[in-house]
Amino acid sequence: MTNDRPIMHCLTVCLAQSFDFPALREKMLMSGRVKAFRNALVVDYKSGCSIVFAYGVAVHWNVSLDEQRNLHDLLLDFAIKPDAEPQEDNFSYETNSEKYRIQSDHIELIDADQMVLLAVSHAMAQSIKLAAFESHAINTIRETSHLPESLAREGKIQLGRKATAMIRGQLFLTKSDIILNYDLLDTPEFFWEHPEYQSIYSMAANYLEIQPRTEVLSKKLETIHELLEMLADEQKHQHSSFLEWIIIYLIAVEIVMSLVDRVF
């Protein structure tokens, strides 16, 4: 970082699970200052630009707070499952550097061409989305940690069949929401059409540790899968026990009736 180059701000925000992208694209293209790419829209401002991704993320490059808020209000009109508390990631950046580099959350760019910003934004959007997945998985595991502890301590889970089924449903929703969007963490298809920018994306993706974090997320999904299987086994056990008690009750009733017949 040098003192003779202006330092600007970059903000990444995860606003929702996703956007109704066809409708959003149609609406935003009417403004005349929006370019459409594969699953992304670039909004041009005088001072910088905002890049909107179909999977609920916006990346702002040197965009004023008022312009950010106005864009967010528009995006939320097309949001699917908006986040109650949107996650944010902040970076500083400068242009006219000698090479593309990220150090200590500061981005150095040779130029601020929109395609360059789009390449870096792909990695930043994946990172914030990955953070949302990580948070969702961790919260789910934490909220259900008492179940294996109860099983280890008492040999059974002290929950009714309905409560057990509800927890299974929540675990399944968490797992399916992440898996259905798991391909977002692969190298974006954008770079099939623009391979000349992939090295810039790779530089940002490496700094943000997207690949190792994805592998850790995969292990968290395995934990959720194991919790699902454990609850499924417990439900089967509860159901079997219920049937056994019914059979015992019916046998007892039959014995009582036989005794009554003999007496009378």
Side-chain angles (χ1 to χ4, degrees):
M1 189 188 311
T2 59
N3 295 325
D4 58 347
R5 292 194 291 266
I7 304 302
M8 292 165 284
H9 182 238
C10 176
L11 173 69
T12 306
V13 187
C14 184
L15 292 168
Q17 184 184 81
S18 62
F19 297 126
D20 179 357
F21 201 64
L24 176 63
R25 178 173 53 207
E26 182 179 353
K27 173 71 175 179
M28 295 186 68
L29 285 174
M30 293 171 61
S31 71
R33 55 190 177 90
V34 175
K35 295 180 182 177
F37 295 89
R38 185 186 292 270
N39 91 336
L41 299 169
V42 179
V43 186
D44 187 26
Y45 297 103
K46 290 182 179 179
S47 58
C49 70
S50 293
I51 300 174
V52 179
F53 292 91
Y55 47 86
V57 177
V59 184
H60 303 290
W61 295 89
N62 200 40
V63 176
S64 71
L65 287 175
D66 287 341
E67 289 169 329
Q68 290 178 29
R69 292 193 192 101
N70 291 337
L71 179 58
H72 290 178
D73 289 342
L74 172 62
L75 295 177
L76 288 173
D77 289 339
F78 297 88
I80 299 170
K81 293 185 179 180
D83 291 347
E85 297 181 4
Q87 297 206 34
E88 297 184 357
D89 208 355
N90 289 276
F91 285 79
S92 58
Y93 78 100
E94 62 182 276
T95 59
N96 301 317
S97 300
E98 295 181 358
K99 61 181 179 180
Y100 296 110
R101 183 172 63 173
I102 304 179
Q103 286 185 322
S104 303
D105 290 350
H106 179 74
I107 306 168
E108 298 179 20
L109 303 172
I110 296 174
D111 60 71
D113 179 82
Q114 283 188 353
M115 296 295 281
V116 170
L117 298 182
L118 179 55
V120 178
S121 295
H122 269 289
M124 298 175 76
Q126 284 179 323
S127 179
I128 200 77
K129 198 69 178 180
L130 181 54
F133 291 158
E134 290 167 338
S135 176
H136 198 179
I138 290 170
N139 288 339
T140 300
I141 293 170
R142 184 181 296 122
E143 289 168 3
T144 55
S145 63
H146 64 285
L147 299 176
E149 290 172 1
S150 174
L151 191 61
R153 184 174 59 252
E154 302 172 16
K156 61 181 179 178
I157 296 174
Q158 299 287 354
L159 288 174
R161 293 175 63 193
K162 183 177 180 181
T164 303
M166 291 174 67
I167 292 175
R168 281 186 69 193
Q170 184 58 51
L171 286 168
F172 180 78
L173 283 174
T174 299
K175 182 181 176 183
S176 60
D177 282 349
I178 294 173
I179 287 178
L180 288 173
N181 293 284
Y182 210 74
D183 60 335
L184 298 177
L185 306 178
D186 294 334
T187 300
E189 294 181 1
F190 169 81
F191 298 105
W192 297 357
E193 300 172 1
H194 305 281
E196 65 272 23
Y197 296 101
Q198 186 164 347
S199 61
I200 300 173
Y201 161 79
S202 297
M203 175 271 299
N206 289 337
Y207 175 83
L208 295 165
E209 299 181 329
I210 289 175
Q211 185 58 40
R213 287 167 60 199
T214 301
E215 292 171 0
V216 171
L217 178 62
S218 179
K219 294 187 184 300
K220 290 184 174 66
L221 288 176
E222 289 176 10
T223 300
I224 291 174
H225 179 71
E226 290 169 0
L227 284 168
L228 274 168
E229 289 189 332
M230 182 191 71
L231 288 175
D233 290 341
E234 182 66 13
Q235 272 196 310
K236 289 177 185 176
H237 175 70
Q238 289 177 355
H239 185 63
S240 297
S241 297
F242 178 70
L243 293 177
E244 288 171 3
W245 278 109
I246 290 177
I247 293 169
I248 292 170
Y249 173 78
L250 292 173
I251 292 172
V253 170
E254 185 177 352
I255 292 171
V256 170
M257 291 179 66
S258 297
L259 292 173
V260 169
D261 288 340
R262 288 181 182 180
V263 172
F264 296 100

